[in-house]
Amino acid sequence: MIDAGIRKAALPVRDLLIRGALSGGILGIATSLAIIAAVQTNTPVVGAIIFPVGFVMIVLLGLELVTGSFALLPMAQMDGAIGWGETMRNWAWVFVGNLAGSLIYAVLLWGVLTMFGEIPGGPIADRIVALTESKTLAYAAHGGAGWATAFAKAVLCNWMVCMGVVMAMVSTSTVSKIVAAWLPITIFFAHGYEHAVVNMFLIPAGMLFGAKTTSVDWWVWNQIPVTLGNLVGGFVLTGLALYATYRVRAPKVRPAAEPAQTAS
């Protein structure tokens, strides 16, 4: 995990943006797939079982997801390998990339479902609108308690997401990586927890489909508290916790013994 954090910190901005944008788009596709499955089966847990396909693609391709970096970069920093500047650089550019990819997919999905505004979006669009309003206006209706709820859901979400990152990392085969990543991601999605990058797609898509949510509602009542909660969940419950218990300290190096002199 420390080595992964070091590698991520060294990536050029171009790669952070491209890999971040791909991750945002792929996670958006997985989210819309999960919604379609839930609508068609009328069983939300089916969507939760299907959703991890996007996360698995991101892990196997080595793309950039800011929520995973919330655990890996601080570990490299705690180990003294990188500094705060490198951590913040990665987080900022990957966040921008994730947002760009998510917005692009949101526009494309809106175009596909509505014939670019010519027809209604149907039951899939209606579900996206309902989810958007539940993730913004429902929290706003409760003021500070709603904000705190969004934050707490985000903490729990990224605890599971980063566990998926770690479990895939310690697995040795492609199949085992898929299974290891799938389990905790299904848990977070089935619980309805809050993921910053998922919401970068879902809420703008809902706004395009006609949700009453405004851009201020999106950021104040979801994106900001959810991003902060994801940071706490990834850093404290995963990165810091695993570093504290598993980091092996190298033994003190002792000087090598002098070779014995051979009699001539």
Side-chain angles (χ1 to χ4, degrees), residues 2 4 9 13 29 39 46 60 71 113 119 148 154 156 172 180 191 229 249 253 258 262:
I2 292 169
V13 172
I29 291 172
V39 169
V46 174
L60 295 181
L113 293 182
I119 60 175
L156 295 171
T172 56
H191 277 82
R249 298 296 176 185
V253 178
E258 291 291 333
T262 303

Side-chain angles (χ1 to χ4, degrees), residues 191-215:
H191 277 82
Y193 293 152
E194 297 284 356
H195 189 272
V197 182
V198 167
N199 293 341
M200 289 176 186
F201 151 73
L202 185 63
I203 296 176
M207 293 164 64
L208 287 171
F209 286 122
K212 297 177 181 178
T213 300
T214 66
S215 295

